[in-house]
């Protein structure tokens, strides 16, 4: 049994749980129902995916594309979030300034991006969301990675501690490795 949730998600569960959601859910009481064409589209998509060789091939391709892109981003030092199997891959950009520069420079290079910032994220949780599909080729993904590598020196996209060389970390390492001895003329403060 399935149930639509808040503008697009679905719940598959027992009839008892679906009945409970129908009675108690705010979204059910105040949202519009799913239209028959949308329901038919979902059924057709699920049938194609689960019962044809083409659907199974596309699922394998989607999993391969997702794994490749995630692993390459992580290996190169970008901070990414989300489930390891999800084809929606959020890459952290941190600030509004980074997001604006990133979106503009990606657009200039022919790369469409989805960006999300405050108030939809925390103040420093701004991110770009990459949506991988089975239709993407390895060349598409490699081109995207090349664009990110090109933008990194300009914007500072790589913030992972796994990054071998990071201007951000090199700058802050000076403060992390400072000697514990005081550097001021006053060595001791007596409160009394």
């Amino acid at each position: 049994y399935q149930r639509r949730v808040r503008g697009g998600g679905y719940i598959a569960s027992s009839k008892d749980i679906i009945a409970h959601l129908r009675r108690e859910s705010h979204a059910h009481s105040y949202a519009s129902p799913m239209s028959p064409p949308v329901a038919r589209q979902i059924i057709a998509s699920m049938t194609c995916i689960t019962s044809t060789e083409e659907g199974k091939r596309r699922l394998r391709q989607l999993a391969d594309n997702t794994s490749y892109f995630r692993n390459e981003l992580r290996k190169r030092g970008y901070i990414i979030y989300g489930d390891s199997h999800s084809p929606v891959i959020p890459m952290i950009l941190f600030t509004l300034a980074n997001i604006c520069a990133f979106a503009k420079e990606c657009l200039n290079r022919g790369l469409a991006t989805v960006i999300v910032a405050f108030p939809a994220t925390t103040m420093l949780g701004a991110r770009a969301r990459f949506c991988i599909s089975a239709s993407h080729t390895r060349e598409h993904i490699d081109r995207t990675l090349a664009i990110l590598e090109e933008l990194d020196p300009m914007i500072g996209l790589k913030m992972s501690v796994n990054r071998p060389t990071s201007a951000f970390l090199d700058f802050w390492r000076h403060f992390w490795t400072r000697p514990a001895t005081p550097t001021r003329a006053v060595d001791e403060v007596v409160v009394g």
Side-chain angles (χ1 to χ4, degrees):
Y1 221 58
Q2 292 186 0
R3 165 84 172 91
R4 186 172 79 136
V5 182
R6 287 197 56 164
Y10 298 88
I11 295 175
S13 188
S14 69
K15 287 184 178 184
D16 291 340
I17 291 176
I18 298 299
H20 172 75
L21 289 173
R22 284 187 173 144
R23 280 191 316 270
E24 305 296 331
S25 171
H26 175 71
H28 178 68
S29 301
Y30 298 103
S32 59
M34 182 187 322
S35 68
V38 170
R40 183 66 196 134
Q41 182 182 17
I42 292 166
I43 292 168
S45 298
M46 295 306 293
T47 301
C48 177
I49 289 171
T50 58
S51 62
T52 67
E53 283 306 312
E54 177 66 13
K56 292 173 185 174
R57 185 194 64 76
R58 286 179 181 244
L59 282 177
R60 285 190 301 273
Q61 184 64 41
L62 178 60
D64 183 52
N65 286 350
T66 299
S67 175
Y68 176 73
F69 190 60
R70 277 184 176 279
N71 290 337
E72 285 298 314
L73 286 174
R74 199 172 279 120
K75 182 170 63 174
R76 295 169 189 234
Y78 299 97
I79 297 176
I80 58 173
Y81 286 167
D83 182 76
S84 63
H85 301 294
S86 173
V88 178
I89 304 168
M91 183 181 81
I92 302 304
L93 299 175
F94 292 103
T95 67
L96 184 59
N98 280 1
I99 262 215
C100 294
F102 180 79
K104 179 182 176 188
E105 293 301 325
C106 283
L107 186 62
N108 289 343
R109 288 162 177 77
L111 178 64
T113 59
V114 176
I115 55 173
V116 184
F118 182 81
T121 68
T122 61
M123 192 63 91
L124 294 177
R127 63 197 68 179
R129 287 176 41 205
F130 297 98
C131 302
I132 303 300
S133 91
S135 299
H136 288 124
T137 64
R138 192 57 54 103
E139 291 77 26
H140 291 140
I141 296 171
D142 287 340
R143 175 70 180 128
T144 299
L145 292 166
I147 290 171
L148 295 177
E149 290 294 311
E150 186 181 335
L151 294 179
D152 176 50
M154 203 183 317
I155 303 173
L157 301 173
K158 296 180 182 179
M159 296 293 182
S160 172
V161 293
N162 296 326
R163 181 178 177 201
T165 58
S166 168
F168 175 81
L169 292 177
D170 291 342
F171 172 78
W172 287 102
R173 192 170 286 119
H174 165 74
F175 296 101
W176 294 333
T177 58
R178 293 174 79 173
T181 57
T183 56
R184 300 163 108 191
V186 178
D187 287 334
E188 185 177 329
V189 175
V190 178
V191 178

